[in-house]
């Protein structure tokens, strides 16, 4: 699966411009905070509309400002699994229900999806009782259970301590190497970029 991104977006005083072609593995957008890395993920996910350009995944056009009539596939039809900097779990339901929400209420593949994440013992817990690393692993599980064709990771490790960070890094490596799900990840940490990135794009 390949990403083809050629976009521009004006964000207040900032201007985001990115041209990228990437294949399998993990593509990491690396650079300091405030230069528009997260905005790129939001444009790929369909949460933010570029001013101009084109976005395609595996040859399927998700956005094209120049095509007649324009193309802008709705977020729910882009099949992107999105893990944010904060886990963003629903606080009023337990971990199991959060995961099943990602699966659309279906349980096919449930045990397999959560097995490598080491979160089976958390299923009856409330999100507020989880550590940062536990919450992020649950968020990854929820994203995977939605059966995405690619995964977007927005600074998923930035708020974690060293031990929790290692747990989540191993989970991301499993997604990249075992599940072989294409990843587009944002980070400002050079060590994370080097470890996760099959390709690193400096912004």
């Amino acid at each position: 699966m390949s990403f083809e991104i050629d976009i521009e977006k004006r964000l207040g005083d900032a201007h985001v411009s990115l041209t990228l072609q990437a294949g399998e593995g993990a593509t990491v957008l690396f650079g300091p905070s405030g230069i528009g890395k997260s905005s790129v993920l939001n444009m790929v996910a369909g949460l933010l509309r570029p001013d101009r350009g084109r976005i395609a995944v595996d040859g399927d056009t998700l956005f094209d400002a120049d095509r007649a009539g324009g193309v802008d596939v709705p977020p729910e039809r882009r099949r992107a699994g999105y893990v944010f900097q904060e886990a963003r779990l629903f606080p009023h339901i337990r971990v199991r229900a959060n995961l099943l929400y990602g699966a659309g209420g279906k349980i096919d593949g449930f045990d397999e999806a959560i097995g490598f994440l080491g979160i089976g013992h958390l299923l009856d817990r409330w999100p507020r009782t989880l550590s940062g690393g536990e919450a992020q692993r649950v968020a990854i599980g929820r994203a995977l259970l939605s059966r995405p064709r690619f995964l977007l990771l927005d600074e998923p490790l930035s708020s974690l301590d060293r031990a929790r960070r290692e747990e989540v890094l191993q989970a991301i490596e499993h997604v990249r190497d075992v599940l072989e799900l294409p990843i587009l990840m944002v980070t400002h940490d050079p060590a994370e970029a080097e470890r996760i990135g099959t390709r690193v794009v400096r912004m």
Side-chain angles (χ1 to χ4, degrees):
M1 179 174 289
S2 61
F3 292 100
E4 298 175 42
I5 302 171
D6 181 14
I7 50 177
E8 290 185 10
K9 178 70 176 177
R10 177 69 64 181
L11 297 166
D13 295 332
H15 179 254
V16 178
S17 179
L18 178 66
T19 300
L20 164 68
Q21 287 192 328
E24 302 293 333
T27 300
V28 176
L29 305 182
F30 168 71
S33 299
I35 62 170
K37 302 186 304 297
S38 297
S39 296
V40 171
L41 291 196
N42 287 335
M43 286 184 265
V44 173
L47 304 178
L48 183 65
R49 182 185 174 91
D51 293 331
R52 61 148 297 274
R54 180 174 183 270
I55 300 169
V57 175
D58 208 24
D60 293 335
T61 300
L62 303 182
F63 176 84
D64 192 339
D66 297 328
R67 186 179 293 185
V71 175
D72 191 5
V73 176
E76 65 273 14
R77 288 178 43 210
R78 296 193 181 197
R79 293 185 59 201
Y82 205 147
V83 179
F84 297 90
Q85 184 172 342
E86 304 85 20
R88 299 194 183 185
L89 303 178
F90 299 118
H92 61 290
I93 56 178
R94 297 181 190 265
V95 166
R96 183 188 302 275
N98 266 280
L99 291 165
L100 288 174
Y101 178 87
K106 300 176 183 177
I107 61 173
D108 292 344
F110 183 85
D111 292 336
E112 180 182 354
I114 67 171
F116 78 93
L117 292 167
I119 56 176
H121 64 293
L122 304 175
L123 297 180
D124 293 324
R125 298 260 299 272
W126 293 100
R128 65 178 176 273
T129 70
L130 304 178
S131 70
E134 289 170 340
Q136 282 296 64
R137 284 183 285 146
V138 172
I140 291 171
R142 183 173 65 181
L144 293 176
L145 282 165
S146 71
R147 288 178 168 75
R149 56 178 174 171
F150 58 95
L151 196 62
L152 304 174
L153 303 175
D154 187 5
E155 299 270 14
L157 309 166
S158 61
S159 62
L160 306 181
D161 61 33
R162 185 181 299 274
R164 304 291 80 78
R165 185 173 297 189
E166 181 60 28
E167 293 173 356
V168 178
L169 276 168
Q170 290 179 12
I172 295 171
E173 288 173 326
H174 185 96
V175 173
R176 181 194 64 196
D177 300 335
V178 179
L179 301 184
E180 297 183 337
L181 190 66
I183 295 170
L184 185 61
M185 175 174 162
V186 159
T187 185
H188 64 272
D189 186 305
E192 290 174 15
E194 171 118 4
R195 178 167 171 178
I196 297 298
T198 307
R199 178 178 183 184
V200 177
V201 178
R202 294 180 179 272
M203 292 183 63

